[in-house]
Amino acid sequence: MCGTGIAAGPSITDWDESVEAIRRIALLPNATCKVSALVQAGAGESDPEFYRPALDVVWNAFGAERLISASNWPQIEAFSDFATHHRILAHYFSEKGTDAEEHFFWKNAQRMYQWGCNS
């Protein structure tokens, strides 16, 4: 998995090299991306639109089937809170439709972490 603060851990305003790395990683068919530490990467910014360019990068690279929501709690508390983080992601993914929301917020994690699987 490619899990990190908005997919590579850099400041959201200074991550050109990471964008290319994200795109290269996404070419691997079994790679997934956990979106966490979003508010930390944005230095506590609470406006959902601030994060749109970064979220567009991971959405366009990984799509609905290979993104996983994560909070990075409790570290998030140094910059903001879980409710703000979730509100930002819910705003973005609500525009992608119910299927994308369900995949991002729980179905992908269920599949990738094999919750409830007897294998």
Side-chain angles (χ1 to χ4, degrees):
M1 264 196 285
C2 149
T4 64
I6 192 65
S11 164
I12 223 164
T13 58
D14 182 30
W15 68 316
D16 290 338
E17 290 179 26
S18 295
V19 169
E20 288 309 311
I22 289 165
R23 291 177 178 149
R24 284 192 308 272
I25 291 167
L27 294 174
L28 302 169
N30 292 325
T32 61
C33 182
K34 181 173 67 173
V35 179
S36 66
L38 182 69
V39 181
Q40 290 100 306
E45 175 62 51
S46 62
D47 179 6
E49 290 304 312
F50 175 81
Y51 299 95
R52 183 174 299 280
L55 290 169
D56 284 346
V57 168
V58 295
W59 171 262
N60 291 331
F62 289 93
E65 299 287 326
R66 298 190 300 151
L67 288 174
I68 300 174
S69 175
S71 69
N72 203 36
W73 185 87
Q75 291 82 3
I76 193 173
E77 299 292 329
F79 291 87
S80 186
D81 55 36
F82 175 78
T84 300
H85 173 82
H86 181 76
R87 180 180 53 79
I88 290 164
L89 293 174
H91 173 81
Y92 183 83
F93 282 92
S94 70
E95 297 172 355
K96 302 297 182 191
T98 302
D99 190 55
E101 283 180 292
E102 289 179 352
H103 276 86
F104 178 68
F105 284 112
W106 69 274
K107 285 184 179 180
N108 292 343
Q110 181 183 43
R111 184 182 77 248
M112 292 171 201
Y113 295 123
Q114 300 179 358
W115 297 342
C117 296
N118 296 323
S119 52

